[in-house]
Short mmCIF file of all heavy atoms in Angstrom, two decimals:
data_model
loop_
_atom_site.label_atom_id
_atom_site.label_comp_id
_atom_site.label_asym_id
_atom_site.label_seq_id
_atom_site.Cartn_x
_atom_site.Cartn_y
_atom_site.Cartn_z
N ILE A 5 -39.05 38.93 56.40
CA ILE A 5 -40.14 38.85 55.43
C ILE A 5 -40.77 40.23 55.33
O ILE A 5 -41.04 40.87 56.34
CB ILE A 5 -41.19 37.82 55.88
CG1 ILE A 5 -40.59 36.41 55.87
CG2 ILE A 5 -42.43 37.88 55.01
CD1 ILE A 5 -41.54 35.36 56.39
N THR A 6 -40.97 40.72 54.12
CA THR A 6 -41.62 42.01 53.93
C THR A 6 -42.88 41.86 53.11
O THR A 6 -42.90 41.11 52.14
CB THR A 6 -40.67 42.99 53.21
OG1 THR A 6 -40.28 42.42 51.95
CG2 THR A 6 -39.44 43.26 54.03
N LEU A 7 -43.91 42.54 53.53
CA LEU A 7 -45.15 42.54 52.76
C LEU A 7 -45.03 43.61 51.69
O LEU A 7 -45.37 44.77 51.90
CB LEU A 7 -46.34 42.81 53.68
CG LEU A 7 -46.68 41.71 54.68
CD1 LEU A 7 -47.81 42.15 55.60
CD2 LEU A 7 -47.07 40.44 53.95
N ALA A 8 -44.51 43.19 50.55
CA ALA A 8 -44.23 44.17 49.49
C ALA A 8 -44.60 43.57 48.15
O ALA A 8 -43.77 43.35 47.29
CB ALA A 8 -42.77 44.57 49.51
N ALA A 9 -45.89 43.30 47.98
CA ALA A 9 -46.36 42.66 46.76
C ALA A 9 -46.06 43.50 45.53
O ALA A 9 -45.90 42.97 44.43
CB ALA A 9 -47.85 42.38 46.86
N ASP A 10 -45.96 44.84 45.70
CA ASP A 10 -45.70 45.69 44.56
C ASP A 10 -44.28 45.51 44.02
O ASP A 10 -43.96 45.95 42.93
CB ASP A 10 -45.92 47.16 44.93
CG ASP A 10 -45.07 47.61 46.10
OD1 ASP A 10 -44.92 46.83 47.05
OD2 ASP A 10 -44.57 48.75 46.06
N LYS A 11 -43.39 44.91 44.81
CA LYS A 11 -42.02 44.67 44.40
C LYS A 11 -41.83 43.32 43.71
O LYS A 11 -40.75 43.01 43.24
CB LYS A 11 -41.08 44.76 45.60
CG LYS A 11 -41.03 46.15 46.24
CD LYS A 11 -40.05 46.17 47.39
CE LYS A 11 -40.02 47.55 48.04
NZ LYS A 11 -39.06 47.58 49.19
N LEU A 12 -42.87 42.53 43.70
CA LEU A 12 -42.76 41.21 43.10
C LEU A 12 -42.52 41.30 41.60
O LEU A 12 -43.18 42.06 40.90
CB LEU A 12 -44.03 40.39 43.39
CG LEU A 12 -44.05 38.95 42.87
CD1 LEU A 12 -44.77 38.06 43.86
CD2 LEU A 12 -44.74 38.85 41.51
N SER A 13 -41.55 40.52 41.11
CA SER A 13 -41.29 40.44 39.67
C SER A 13 -41.95 39.18 39.13
O SER A 13 -41.60 38.07 39.53
CB SER A 13 -39.79 40.40 39.40
OG SER A 13 -39.53 40.02 38.07
N VAL A 14 -42.90 39.38 38.23
CA VAL A 14 -43.57 38.23 37.62
C VAL A 14 -42.58 37.38 36.84
O VAL A 14 -42.60 36.15 36.91
CB VAL A 14 -44.72 38.71 36.70
CG1 VAL A 14 -45.34 37.53 35.97
CG2 VAL A 14 -45.77 39.45 37.52
N ALA A 15 -41.67 38.03 36.13
CA ALA A 15 -40.70 37.31 35.31
C ALA A 15 -39.77 36.47 36.19
O ALA A 15 -39.55 35.29 35.93
CB ALA A 15 -39.88 38.29 34.47
N ASN A 16 -39.22 37.08 37.25
CA ASN A 16 -38.31 36.35 38.12
C ASN A 16 -39.01 35.23 38.88
O ASN A 16 -38.45 34.16 39.09
CB ASN A 16 -37.64 37.30 39.11
CG ASN A 16 -36.59 38.17 38.46
OD1 ASN A 16 -36.08 37.85 37.39
ND2 ASN A 16 -36.25 39.28 39.10
N THR A 17 -40.26 35.49 39.28
CA THR A 17 -41.02 34.46 39.99
C THR A 17 -41.29 33.27 39.09
O THR A 17 -41.08 32.10 39.48
CB THR A 17 -42.34 35.03 40.52
OG1 THR A 17 -42.06 36.11 41.41
CG2 THR A 17 -43.14 33.97 41.25
N GLY A 18 -41.74 33.55 37.87
CA GLY A 18 -41.98 32.46 36.92
C GLY A 18 -40.72 31.69 36.62
O GLY A 18 -40.71 30.45 36.55
N PHE A 19 -39.62 32.41 36.46
CA PHE A 19 -38.33 31.78 36.20
C PHE A 19 -37.94 30.84 37.34
O PHE A 19 -37.50 29.71 37.12
CB PHE A 19 -37.26 32.86 36.02
CG PHE A 19 -35.86 32.35 35.91
CD1 PHE A 19 -35.43 31.67 34.77
CD2 PHE A 19 -34.95 32.55 36.94
CE1 PHE A 19 -34.13 31.20 34.68
CE2 PHE A 19 -33.65 32.09 36.85
CZ PHE A 19 -33.24 31.41 35.72
N MET A 20 -38.15 31.29 38.58
CA MET A 20 -37.76 30.47 39.73
C MET A 20 -38.64 29.24 39.87
O MET A 20 -38.16 28.16 40.29
CB MET A 20 -37.81 31.30 41.01
CG MET A 20 -36.73 32.37 41.09
SD MET A 20 -35.07 31.71 40.79
CE MET A 20 -34.96 30.46 42.06
N LEU A 21 -39.91 29.34 39.55
CA LEU A 21 -40.77 28.17 39.61
C LEU A 21 -40.36 27.14 38.56
O LEU A 21 -40.35 25.93 38.82
CB LEU A 21 -42.23 28.58 39.42
CG LEU A 21 -42.81 29.46 40.54
CD1 LEU A 21 -44.25 29.85 40.22
CD2 LEU A 21 -42.74 28.76 41.89
N ILE A 22 -39.99 27.61 37.37
CA ILE A 22 -39.50 26.71 36.32
C ILE A 22 -38.19 26.06 36.77
O ILE A 22 -37.99 24.85 36.61
CB ILE A 22 -39.33 27.45 34.99
CG1 ILE A 22 -40.68 27.86 34.43
CG2 ILE A 22 -38.57 26.59 33.97
CD1 ILE A 22 -40.60 28.81 33.25
N CYS A 23 -37.30 26.86 37.33
CA CYS A 23 -36.02 26.31 37.80
C CYS A 23 -36.23 25.28 38.90
O CYS A 23 -35.52 24.26 38.96
CB CYS A 23 -35.12 27.44 38.32
SG CYS A 23 -34.39 28.44 37.00
N SER A 24 -37.21 25.50 39.76
CA SER A 24 -37.51 24.54 40.82
C SER A 24 -37.93 23.19 40.22
O SER A 24 -37.51 22.13 40.68
CB SER A 24 -38.61 25.07 41.73
OG SER A 24 -38.22 26.27 42.36
N ALA A 25 -38.75 23.24 39.18
CA ALA A 25 -39.17 22.01 38.52
C ALA A 25 -37.99 21.33 37.83
O ALA A 25 -37.89 20.10 37.83
CB ALA A 25 -40.27 22.32 37.50
N LEU A 26 -37.09 22.14 37.26
CA LEU A 26 -35.89 21.57 36.62
C LEU A 26 -35.01 20.86 37.64
O LEU A 26 -34.47 19.79 37.37
CB LEU A 26 -35.10 22.67 35.91
CG LEU A 26 -35.68 23.22 34.62
CD1 LEU A 26 -34.90 24.45 34.16
CD2 LEU A 26 -35.69 22.16 33.53
N VAL A 27 -34.87 21.46 38.82
CA VAL A 27 -34.05 20.82 39.85
C VAL A 27 -34.71 19.54 40.34
O VAL A 27 -34.04 18.53 40.61
CB VAL A 27 -33.78 21.78 41.02
CG1 VAL A 27 -32.92 21.10 42.09
CG2 VAL A 27 -33.09 23.04 40.54
N LEU A 28 -36.03 19.55 40.44
CA LEU A 28 -36.72 18.33 40.88
C LEU A 28 -36.50 17.18 39.89
O LEU A 28 -36.29 16.04 40.30
CB LEU A 28 -38.22 18.59 41.03
CG LEU A 28 -39.05 17.37 41.47
CD1 LEU A 28 -38.60 16.88 42.85
CD2 LEU A 28 -40.54 17.69 41.49
N ILE A 29 -36.52 17.47 38.59
CA ILE A 29 -36.36 16.39 37.60
C ILE A 29 -34.96 15.78 37.69
O ILE A 29 -34.73 14.66 37.21
CB ILE A 29 -36.63 16.92 36.17
CG1 ILE A 29 -36.98 15.76 35.22
CG2 ILE A 29 -35.44 17.67 35.62
CD1 ILE A 29 -38.26 15.05 35.53
N MET A 30 -34.03 16.47 38.31
CA MET A 30 -32.69 15.91 38.48
C MET A 30 -32.69 14.68 39.37
O MET A 30 -31.85 13.78 39.20
CB MET A 30 -31.75 16.97 39.07
CG MET A 30 -31.42 18.11 38.12
SD MET A 30 -30.51 19.44 38.94
CE MET A 30 -28.97 18.59 39.34
N THR A 31 -33.59 14.61 40.35
CA THR A 31 -33.60 13.45 41.24
C THR A 31 -34.05 12.18 40.52
O THR A 31 -33.39 11.15 40.63
CB THR A 31 -34.44 13.73 42.50
OG1 THR A 31 -33.89 14.86 43.19
CG2 THR A 31 -34.45 12.53 43.42
N PRO A 32 -35.15 12.18 39.74
CA PRO A 32 -35.42 11.02 38.89
C PRO A 32 -34.30 10.76 37.89
O PRO A 32 -33.98 9.61 37.58
CB PRO A 32 -36.73 11.39 38.18
CG PRO A 32 -37.38 12.37 39.08
CD PRO A 32 -36.27 13.15 39.71
N GLY A 33 -33.69 11.84 37.37
CA GLY A 33 -32.55 11.66 36.47
C GLY A 33 -31.41 10.94 37.17
O GLY A 33 -30.78 10.03 36.60
N LEU A 34 -31.14 11.33 38.41
CA LEU A 34 -30.12 10.64 39.20
C LEU A 34 -30.50 9.18 39.42
O LEU A 34 -29.64 8.29 39.37
CB LEU A 34 -29.96 11.35 40.54
CG LEU A 34 -28.92 10.77 41.50
CD1 LEU A 34 -27.51 11.06 40.98
CD2 LEU A 34 -29.10 11.33 42.91
N ALA A 35 -31.78 8.93 39.66
CA ALA A 35 -32.24 7.56 39.86
C ALA A 35 -31.96 6.69 38.63
O ALA A 35 -31.49 5.55 38.75
CB ALA A 35 -33.74 7.55 40.19
N PHE A 36 -32.24 7.21 37.45
CA PHE A 36 -31.94 6.47 36.22
C PHE A 36 -30.43 6.30 36.04
O PHE A 36 -29.95 5.24 35.62
CB PHE A 36 -32.53 7.18 35.01
CG PHE A 36 -34.02 7.04 34.89
CD1 PHE A 36 -34.84 8.16 34.76
CD2 PHE A 36 -34.63 5.80 34.89
CE1 PHE A 36 -36.21 8.04 34.65
CE2 PHE A 36 -36.01 5.67 34.78
CZ PHE A 36 -36.80 6.79 34.66
N PHE A 37 -29.68 7.36 36.31
CA PHE A 37 -28.23 7.33 36.17
C PHE A 37 -27.64 6.23 37.06
O PHE A 37 -26.87 5.38 36.59
CB PHE A 37 -27.67 8.70 36.56
CG PHE A 37 -26.18 8.84 36.42
CD1 PHE A 37 -25.58 8.86 35.17
CD2 PHE A 37 -25.37 8.98 37.55
CE1 PHE A 37 -24.20 9.01 35.03
CE2 PHE A 37 -24.00 9.13 37.42
CZ PHE A 37 -23.41 9.14 36.16
N TYR A 38 -28.02 6.23 38.32
CA TYR A 38 -27.55 5.20 39.25
C TYR A 38 -28.16 3.84 38.92
O TYR A 38 -27.50 2.81 39.01
CB TYR A 38 -27.92 5.58 40.68
CG TYR A 38 -27.05 6.63 41.33
CD1 TYR A 38 -27.44 7.23 42.52
CD2 TYR A 38 -25.82 7.02 40.78
CE1 TYR A 38 -26.65 8.19 43.15
CE2 TYR A 38 -25.03 7.98 41.39
CZ TYR A 38 -25.45 8.56 42.58
OH TYR A 38 -24.67 9.50 43.20
N GLY A 39 -29.46 3.83 38.57
CA GLY A 39 -30.14 2.56 38.30
C GLY A 39 -29.53 1.80 37.16
O GLY A 39 -29.48 0.55 37.17
N GLY A 40 -29.06 2.50 36.14
CA GLY A 40 -28.42 1.83 35.02
C GLY A 40 -27.03 1.33 35.34
O GLY A 40 -26.53 0.39 34.70
N MET A 41 -26.39 1.93 36.33
CA MET A 41 -25.00 1.58 36.65
C MET A 41 -24.88 0.33 37.52
O MET A 41 -23.81 -0.28 37.59
CB MET A 41 -24.32 2.75 37.36
CG MET A 41 -24.05 3.94 36.45
SD MET A 41 -23.35 5.36 37.33
CE MET A 41 -21.71 4.75 37.74
N VAL A 42 -25.96 -0.07 38.18
CA VAL A 42 -25.88 -1.26 39.04
C VAL A 42 -26.25 -2.51 38.25
O VAL A 42 -26.67 -2.44 37.10
CB VAL A 42 -26.82 -1.12 40.26
CG1 VAL A 42 -26.37 0.00 41.17
CG2 VAL A 42 -28.27 -0.91 39.83
N ARG A 43 -26.11 -3.65 38.90
CA ARG A 43 -26.51 -4.92 38.28
C ARG A 43 -28.03 -5.04 38.29
O ARG A 43 -28.71 -4.35 39.04
CB ARG A 43 -25.85 -6.08 39.02
CG ARG A 43 -24.33 -6.13 38.85
CD ARG A 43 -23.67 -7.09 39.82
NE ARG A 43 -23.67 -6.56 41.17
CZ ARG A 43 -23.16 -7.21 42.23
NH1 ARG A 43 -22.65 -8.43 42.06
NH2 ARG A 43 -23.18 -6.67 43.42
N VAL A 44 -28.54 -5.91 37.46
CA VAL A 44 -29.99 -6.05 37.29
C VAL A 44 -30.69 -6.24 38.63
O VAL A 44 -31.75 -5.65 38.88
CB VAL A 44 -30.31 -7.22 36.34
CG1 VAL A 44 -31.80 -7.53 36.35
CG2 VAL A 44 -29.87 -6.90 34.93
N LYS A 45 -30.11 -7.03 39.50
CA LYS A 45 -30.78 -7.41 40.74
C LYS A 45 -30.90 -6.26 41.74
O LYS A 45 -31.57 -6.40 42.77
CB LYS A 45 -30.04 -8.57 41.39
CG LYS A 45 -28.60 -8.27 41.77
CD LYS A 45 -27.91 -9.52 42.32
CE LYS A 45 -26.47 -9.23 42.72
NZ LYS A 45 -25.80 -10.45 43.25
N SER A 46 -30.28 -5.10 41.45
CA SER A 46 -30.34 -3.96 42.37
C SER A 46 -31.01 -2.73 41.76
O SER A 46 -31.02 -1.67 42.37
CB SER A 46 -28.92 -3.58 42.81
OG SER A 46 -28.27 -4.67 43.41
N THR A 47 -31.57 -2.86 40.57
CA THR A 47 -32.06 -1.71 39.83
C THR A 47 -33.16 -0.95 40.57
O THR A 47 -33.11 0.26 40.74
CB THR A 47 -32.59 -2.14 38.45
OG1 THR A 47 -31.59 -2.89 37.78
CG2 THR A 47 -33.00 -0.94 37.61
N LEU A 48 -34.19 -1.68 41.01
CA LEU A 48 -35.32 -1.02 41.66
C LEU A 48 -34.92 -0.38 42.99
O LEU A 48 -35.37 0.71 43.32
CB LEU A 48 -36.45 -2.02 41.90
CG LEU A 48 -37.14 -2.58 40.65
CD1 LEU A 48 -38.23 -3.56 41.05
CD2 LEU A 48 -37.72 -1.46 39.81
N ASN A 49 -34.07 -1.06 43.74
CA ASN A 49 -33.61 -0.51 45.00
C ASN A 49 -32.88 0.81 44.78
O ASN A 49 -33.07 1.77 45.53
CB ASN A 49 -32.69 -1.52 45.70
CG ASN A 49 -32.20 -1.01 47.03
OD1 ASN A 49 -31.02 -0.65 47.18
ND2 ASN A 49 -33.07 -0.96 48.02
N MET A 50 -32.09 0.87 43.72
CA MET A 50 -31.35 2.09 43.42
C MET A 50 -32.31 3.22 43.05
O MET A 50 -32.15 4.36 43.47
CB MET A 50 -30.39 1.81 42.26
CG MET A 50 -29.20 2.75 42.20
SD MET A 50 -28.04 2.43 43.54
CE MET A 50 -28.44 3.75 44.69
N LEU A 51 -33.32 2.89 42.25
CA LEU A 51 -34.32 3.90 41.89
C LEU A 51 -35.06 4.40 43.13
O LEU A 51 -35.26 5.61 43.32
CB LEU A 51 -35.33 3.32 40.90
CG LEU A 51 -34.81 2.92 39.51
CD1 LEU A 51 -35.91 2.20 38.73
CD2 LEU A 51 -34.34 4.13 38.74
N MET A 52 -35.43 3.48 44.00
CA MET A 52 -36.21 3.84 45.18
C MET A 52 -35.41 4.66 46.18
O MET A 52 -35.96 5.51 46.90
CB MET A 52 -36.74 2.58 45.85
CG MET A 52 -37.96 2.00 45.17
SD MET A 52 -39.40 3.09 45.36
CE MET A 52 -39.77 2.86 47.10
N MET A 53 -34.10 4.46 46.25
CA MET A 53 -33.29 5.22 47.20
C MET A 53 -33.27 6.71 46.84
O MET A 53 -33.11 7.56 47.72
CB MET A 53 -31.87 4.66 47.26
CG MET A 53 -31.81 3.30 47.93
SD MET A 53 -30.16 2.56 47.89
CE MET A 53 -29.40 3.31 49.31
N SER A 54 -33.42 7.02 45.56
CA SER A 54 -33.55 8.42 45.16
C SER A 54 -34.98 8.91 45.35
O SER A 54 -35.22 10.00 45.88
CB SER A 54 -33.13 8.61 43.70
OG SER A 54 -31.74 8.52 43.55
N PHE A 55 -35.95 8.10 44.92
CA PHE A 55 -37.34 8.54 44.98
C PHE A 55 -37.81 8.76 46.40
O PHE A 55 -38.61 9.68 46.67
CB PHE A 55 -38.24 7.53 44.26
CG PHE A 55 -38.48 7.87 42.82
CD1 PHE A 55 -37.51 7.58 41.86
CD2 PHE A 55 -39.64 8.48 42.40
CE1 PHE A 55 -37.69 7.90 40.53
CE2 PHE A 55 -39.85 8.80 41.07
CZ PHE A 55 -38.88 8.51 40.12
N ILE A 56 -37.34 7.94 47.36
CA ILE A 56 -37.82 8.11 48.73
C ILE A 56 -37.36 9.44 49.31
O ILE A 56 -38.03 10.03 50.17
CB ILE A 56 -37.35 6.94 49.63
CG1 ILE A 56 -38.16 6.89 50.93
CG2 ILE A 56 -35.86 7.03 49.92
CD1 ILE A 56 -39.63 6.63 50.74
N SER A 57 -36.24 9.96 48.83
CA SER A 57 -35.77 11.26 49.29
C SER A 57 -36.76 12.36 48.90
O SER A 57 -36.94 13.34 49.65
CB SER A 57 -34.39 11.57 48.69
OG SER A 57 -33.88 12.78 49.20
N MET A 58 -37.43 12.21 47.77
CA MET A 58 -38.42 13.19 47.34
C MET A 58 -39.58 13.27 48.32
O MET A 58 -40.17 14.33 48.52
CB MET A 58 -38.92 12.85 45.94
CG MET A 58 -37.83 12.91 44.87
SD MET A 58 -38.33 12.18 43.28
CE MET A 58 -39.50 13.42 42.71
N GLY A 59 -39.90 12.14 48.94
CA GLY A 59 -40.98 12.14 49.93
C GLY A 59 -40.52 12.62 51.29
O GLY A 59 -41.10 13.54 51.88
N ILE A 60 -39.46 12.01 51.80
CA ILE A 60 -39.01 12.30 53.16
C ILE A 60 -38.56 13.75 53.32
O ILE A 60 -39.00 14.48 54.22
CB ILE A 60 -37.86 11.35 53.56
CG1 ILE A 60 -38.37 9.92 53.71
CG2 ILE A 60 -37.19 11.82 54.86
CD1 ILE A 60 -37.27 8.89 53.91
N VAL A 61 -37.68 14.20 52.43
CA VAL A 61 -37.08 15.52 52.61
C VAL A 61 -38.09 16.64 52.38
O VAL A 61 -38.02 17.69 53.02
CB VAL A 61 -35.84 15.69 51.70
CG1 VAL A 61 -35.23 17.08 51.86
CG2 VAL A 61 -34.80 14.62 52.02
#
Side-chain angles (χ1 to χ4, degrees):
I5 294 176
T6 57
L7 292 176
D10 57 320
K11 296 182 181 179
L12 182 143
S13 167
V14 175
N16 286 340
T17 300
F19 173 71
M20 290 308 303
L21 295 178
I22 292 170
C23 285
S24 299
L26 287 171
V27 180
L28 179 62
I29 201 66
M30 291 172 66
T31 301
L34 181 71
F36 286 127
F37 182 69
Y38 283 168
M41 290 176 69
V42 295
R43 292 167 287 179
V44 170
K45 61 184 181 180
S46 303
T47 307
L48 293 180
N49 181 253
M50 203 71 259
L51 295 173
M52 281 292 288
M53 290 175 85
S54 287
F55 268 79
I56 196 63
S57 184
M58 297 168 71
I60 292 172
V61 179

